[in-house]
């Protein structure tokens, strides 16, 4: 048995040099690894983050914004800020902590970009397979926009690398298709308008081709809000280029975008609502989703309140109550329930009415 070291005056042994060396070695290795991880995240951010010029409406060929400054660039830059944050920050918790410092008006768009980047990371980095599930769980207040961000990633990734959507929230998962379609109409506008299609492989959607077509149409409608520069006349013309059975969902997307992103005053909102004609109820349905999405994330703005009043004739709280009353109660994963979102939309449009 090794004899005990004599205890010096004061009751404490001096540090063991062998242990100190071992501790310094571990600390040094940890510092090196930490520095390497930081450099990897920085490089990943530089490589993965799209150029800011890609959200320039002039480069995209979008129409000049009617009655004021374009909202395309500030929305796009907020999205890219969130994307870059998710590339740089080491964990979903850290991503959300940084997103919380984004101004309320733009925070949802940043969350959307963060979800896109996190989805890409989860597919390209084997050691980060669980980061998307964690982000969606921790960032539930941004569930609408984050599911849209997953769709953006799918539009950029090869199909064999797409995430498995079966385990996502069935009440929200169709927004993945919305995001895919928005990406396509934003970055491949002429192609989508000429083909009257986003090119999504309808056979890949577990809920069936019919529902997929409507979910995609909603995303196209959201994109058209930006393409048309918020002009009611241009929107009516663009929507008219698509099949009649998609018009309701297209106008729902317009209502969602003009409520969430803004860009028109009260008179402009009324003009767009009138341009929708017999599909006014669907503009209101899209508006209601946008109002609830902002209320859920505590990012309600003056424009949110204005849109709720002008388009739905209700307060924000009233709209949120209607949305919640029709919200489907469906479990994650498992069989069935792929039509829950569509039933939700139909119920909302029916209650909000044609006015």
């Amino acid at each position: 048995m090794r004899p005990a070291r004599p205890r010096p005056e004061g009751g404490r042994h001096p540090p063991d040099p062998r242990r100190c060396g071992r501790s310094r070695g571990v600390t040094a290795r940890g510092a090196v690894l930490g520095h390497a991880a930081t450099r990897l995240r920085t490089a990943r951010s530089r490589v993965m983050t799209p150029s800011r010029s890609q959200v320039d409406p002039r480069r995209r060929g979008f129409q000049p914004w009617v009655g004021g400054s374009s909202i395309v660039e500030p929305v796009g830059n907020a999205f890219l800020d969130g994307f870059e944050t998710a590339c740089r920050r080491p964990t979903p918790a850290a991503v959300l902590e940084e997103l919380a410092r984004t101004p309320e008006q733009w925070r949802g768009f940043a969350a959307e970009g963060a979800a896109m980047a996190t989805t890409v990371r989860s597919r390209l980095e084997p050691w980060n397979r669980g980061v998307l599930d964690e982000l969606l769980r921790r960032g539930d207040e941004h569930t609408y926009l984050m599911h849209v961000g997953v769709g953006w990633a799918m539009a950029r990734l090869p199909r064999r690398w797409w995430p498995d959507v079966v385990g996502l929230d069935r009440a929200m998962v169709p927004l993945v298709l919305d995001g895919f379609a928005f990406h396509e109409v934003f970055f491949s506008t002429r192609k989508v308008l000429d083909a009257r299609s986003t090119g999504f492989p309808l056979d890949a959607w577990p809920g069936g081709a019919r529902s997929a077509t409507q979910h995609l149409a909603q995303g196209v409608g959201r994109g058209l809000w930006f393409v048309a520069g918020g002009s009611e006349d241009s929107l009516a013309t663009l929507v008219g280029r698509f099949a009649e059975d998609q018009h309701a969902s297209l106008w729902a997307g317009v209502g969602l975008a003009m409520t969430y992103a803004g860009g028109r005053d009260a008179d402009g909102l009324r003009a767009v609502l009138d341009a929708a004609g017999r599909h006014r109820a669907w503009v209101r349905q899209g508006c209601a989703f946008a109002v609830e999405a902002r209320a859920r994330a505590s990012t309600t703005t003056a424009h949110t309140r204005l849109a709720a009043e002008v388009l739905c004739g209700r307060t924000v709280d009233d709209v949120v109550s209607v949305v919640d009353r029709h919200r489907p109660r469906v479990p994650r994963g498992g069989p069935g329930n792929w039509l829950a979102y569509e039933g939700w939309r139909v119920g909302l449009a029916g209650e909000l009415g044609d006015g």
Side-chain angles (χ1 to χ4, degrees):
M1 178 179 297
R2 180 180 298 175
R5 296 167 61 198
R7 185 175 296 275
E9 185 177 354
R12 293 185 179 180
H13 291 298
D16 186 330
R18 292 169 300 176
R19 292 182 179 178
C20 289
R22 210 163 38 239
S23 175
R24 285 195 298 270
V26 171
T27 302
R29 285 194 297 274
V32 170
L33 290 174
H35 183 62
T38 300
R39 292 181 63 183
L40 174 62
R41 290 193 295 270
T42 301
R44 179 173 59 206
S45 173
R46 290 174 179 170
V47 170
M48 289 176 55
T49 305
S51 166
R52 301 276 166 171
S53 65
Q54 291 193 35
V55 298
D56 183 339
R58 295 173 295 275
R59 176 177 177 177
R60 302 256 61 86
F62 295 172
Q63 295 183 31
W65 203 264
V66 61
S69 301
S70 174
I71 62 168
V72 176
E73 281 186 285
V75 167
N77 282 325
F79 180 98
L80 293 176
D81 287 343
F83 188 101
E84 186 176 14
T85 295
C87 289
R88 283 189 297 100
R89 303 293 282 171
T91 65
V95 170
L96 292 168
E97 181 181 353
E98 187 162 333
L99 291 183
R101 294 193 288 271
T102 305
E104 292 177 353
Q105 183 177 0
W106 313 115
R107 192 177 304 156
F109 301 110
E112 185 179 352
M116 178 188 178
T118 302
T119 304
V120 173
R121 287 181 56 191
S122 74
R123 307 314 298 164
L124 300 185
E125 301 172 357
W127 59 92
N128 274 322
R129 289 291 188 226
V131 290
L132 177 59
D133 288 342
E134 183 179 351
L135 182 72
L136 292 173
R137 185 178 69 255
R138 288 177 174 270
D140 183 65
E141 69 271 22
H142 296 296
T143 185
Y144 286 86
L145 276 295
M146 284 188 172
H147 279 84
V148 169
V150 174
W152 273 70
M154 289 171 63
R156 290 288 178 107
L157 290 169
R159 182 173 173 178
R160 65 182 181 277
W161 289 348
W162 283 3
D164 182 7
V165 300
V166 172
L168 299 181
D169 184 344
R170 290 294 170 82
M172 292 290 169
V173 69
L175 288 166
V176 169
L177 294 185
D178 177 307
F180 182 100
F182 183 96
H183 176 281
E184 292 303 286
V185 79
F186 193 93
F187 291 106
S188 303
T189 309
R190 183 54 50 195
K191 180 180 177 181
V192 172
L193 294 178
D194 288 346
R196 297 168 176 78
S197 170
T198 62
F200 183 87
L202 298 179
D203 63 305
W205 189 246
R210 175 179 289 185
S211 65
T213 298
Q214 297 306 318
H215 306 328
L216 291 163
Q218 178 180 281
V220 171
R222 282 199 311 115
L224 293 181
W225 175 246
F226 298 95
V227 171
S231 164
E232 63 272 16
D233 293 334
S234 296
L235 284 164
T237 299
L238 292 170
V239 168
R241 297 183 63 167
F242 291 82
E244 173 67 27
D245 64 358
Q246 297 179 39
H247 287 187
S249 293
L250 288 161
W251 281 112
V254 171
L256 207 163
M258 70 178 181
T259 300
Y260 198 94
R264 296 295 303 272
D265 60 13
D267 289 339
L269 294 175
R270 292 189 189 96
V272 175
L273 185 63
D274 289 342
R278 64 189 182 90
H279 298 298
R280 288 192 294 272
W282 291 95
V283 174
R284 294 186 174 110
Q285 178 266 302
C287 169
F289 269 7
V291 169
E292 207 274 338
R294 280 201 173 274
R296 182 188 186 103
S298 300
T299 59
T300 300
T301 66
H303 180 80
T304 314
R305 292 185 285 274
L306 176 68
E309 175 61 34
V310 171
L311 299 177
C312 296
R314 303 173 186 238
T315 66
V316 166
D317 288 344
D318 288 341
V319 171
V320 170
S321 177
V322 173
V323 173
D324 190 61
R325 185 161 61 250
H326 288 275
R327 183 187 302 274
R329 312 300 176 186
V330 293
R332 288 177 178 268
N337 299 319
W338 285 99
L339 301 180
Y341 180 85
E342 195 61 19
W344 191 9
R345 294 201 317 131
V346 169
L348 275 175
E351 177 160 346
L352 295 171
D354 197 35

